[in-house]
Amino acid sequence: MTPVPDDGPRRARRGLPADDDPRTEDLSEPTPAAAEAGPARRAEEPEQTGAAPGHPVRSAARVGALRAIGFAVLALAVGIGSGLVPGQQASTSGVSAVVPGQTLVCSPSLQNAAVTAASTSRTLRVGALGGSDREVQVPTSVSVGKSAQVVRSVSGQGRPTATTMSVTGSGAAATSSWTNCSTASTGGTLIVEDPSISDIVVTNPEAEEASVDVTLSGAKGVINATGSRGLTVPARSSRVLPLSVWVSGRSPVAASLSTDTSRVVAVARTSGANGSQTFPMSSPAQNLWIPAVPSQVSASELLVTNPNSTRATAKVTAMAAGGAFVPEGADEIEVEPYSTITVDLGKALAGEAVGLSVSANIAVGAQVMATKGKDITMATPAAAATSLQSALPRGGTVSLSNPTNQVAQINGSYRTSSGSTVTFTASLPASSTWTRDLGGTGGHLLVSSDHAIIGGVWYAGAGLSSVPMSVVSGAGRAVRLSVDPQLS
């Protein structure tokens, strides 16, 4: 086990708005599966080949002409036929899209917790991991103790969204911590600020045992951790991995998890003098969007990890209410291979509500740790989409950022657990952030936009929390971000 020295955070000050702010472009809308997998890719067109031996080219041309005539006749017939269909029969108004079912896993908590679930449909199925589930009306909040839960939709229901809220203490001293429930995957990355007070919880929702490998990296590279390979997690159960067993010191550490054939859900949990927090793993990428960095915080630190064998160079752009700017000291961040560093953004952001864009020459992982008083929260990456949703244990503040170069028209609704609905509209300029207080009551937040946006919700009433909004099925859009040529 190699100790990780504490080199201290890199300081950054707020800079002037950059003339070379990253520009974005909306691309074609991918299928739901493609939206989950990453940026949409244009299908390759088959190559044209020459005429086969013994067949003159003019014969192929004659066949092509006959086919063209046939298609023209068919198109005319279809056009005439459709003109005979009454308008009301051709209308798709009010028709609900049938989407595949999806399962979210809510990781076990250190304290007694409640899971809030919601969807664009009226019902979902909720139950304990490994047990039976039941259909419930949503939005709903279910007390779950310290056990892992499953929130599931069936075919014809909207994609679920769910958030776990755990509470520490009681009465006026009680503080809460929120984290999103996640779909299972074959791997991802978690970055913790202090491994001495952190652990990783791996949950296996499948019917067979899972084997997990954990790779750790700190300020000086890979950390040799005995016993971090081939960790078994029994079927439909969870396993806790204390990081202090593998890592000495208190400098930031990234943990990259991978499985061979199984799918798991993993979260990092931290509990110390600065309160407790739990956050899910995310996937490294060249372009990352981190929404809902809270306002009025006393400190903001960007944690960046490079899981590659070559040096990474990254640039940060902050999207604030007044537009985009590049924080001084974050315009060219270098991260050595298999290393994890901290960049201090506190003075640069000055406690302003922002969304961040992180662009790099190779795939990196990034998160933002915000501190307010004695409490901390981790803002994690999220996907850009035209329709987003969240299940909120309490109201909080919605924060929406526009990473495109066009004005986005926003429509939102917040349906509370008490049955009331609040609607709002906004015009969100390019590369800017907009916020709105949702009050104190929990419920289902649904936001739509004519351009891809990122969003999240933070809560600072009793403990600081920030959770990203999730993509509504079929609403994902790839957003192209032009990387600074100096990073290539």
Side-chain angles (χ1 to χ4, degrees), residues 94-283:
V95 177
S96 299
V98 177
V99 298
Q102 184 185 23
T103 298
L104 299 177
V105 177
C106 308
S107 300
S109 174
L110 283 170
Q111 297 87 22
N112 289 331
V115 169
T116 302
S119 173
T120 53
S121 58
R122 290 290 180 174
T123 61
L124 291 171
R125 302 195 69 84
V126 179
L129 179 67
S132 59
D133 55 26
R134 60 189 179 89
E135 190 170 44
V136 298
Q137 296 284 329
V138 293
T140 186
S141 183
V142 180
S143 296
V144 299
K146 300 178 181 180
S147 63
Q149 297 290 305
V150 172
V151 177
R152 186 166 64 90
S153 66
V154 296
S155 183
Q157 292 180 328
R159 175 176 292 185
T161 178
T163 303
T164 299
M165 182 180 73
S166 57
V167 178
T168 303
S170 59
T175 60
S176 65
S177 175
W178 300 6
T179 185
N180 283 356
C181 303
S182 308
T183 56
S185 66
T186 57
T189 298
L190 295 156
I191 312 175
V192 299
E193 189 266 345
D194 185 351
S196 68
I197 55 173
S198 305
D199 59 33
I200 295 174
V201 183
V202 183
T203 300
N204 175 16
E206 299 192 343
E208 296 182 358
E209 181 182 86
S211 177
V212 180
D213 293 336
V214 181
T215 302
L216 301 169
S217 64
K220 298 300 182 181
V222 174
I223 299 172
N224 296 320
T226 303
S228 62
R229 302 284 174 170
L231 299 165
T232 58
V233 183
R236 297 192 175 97
S237 63
S238 299
R239 180 172 178 176
V240 179
L241 310 175
L243 287 176
S244 59
V245 173
W246 292 326
V247 183
S248 62
R250 305 183 65 178
S251 297
V253 168
S256 297
L257 283 71
S258 62
T259 63
D260 44 9
T261 57
S262 303
R263 298 181 306 157
V264 298
V265 170
V267 297
R269 302 187 308 193
T270 298
S271 182
N274 289 334
S276 63
Q277 62 170 332
T278 304
F279 55 91
M281 64 182 179
S282 57
S283 298

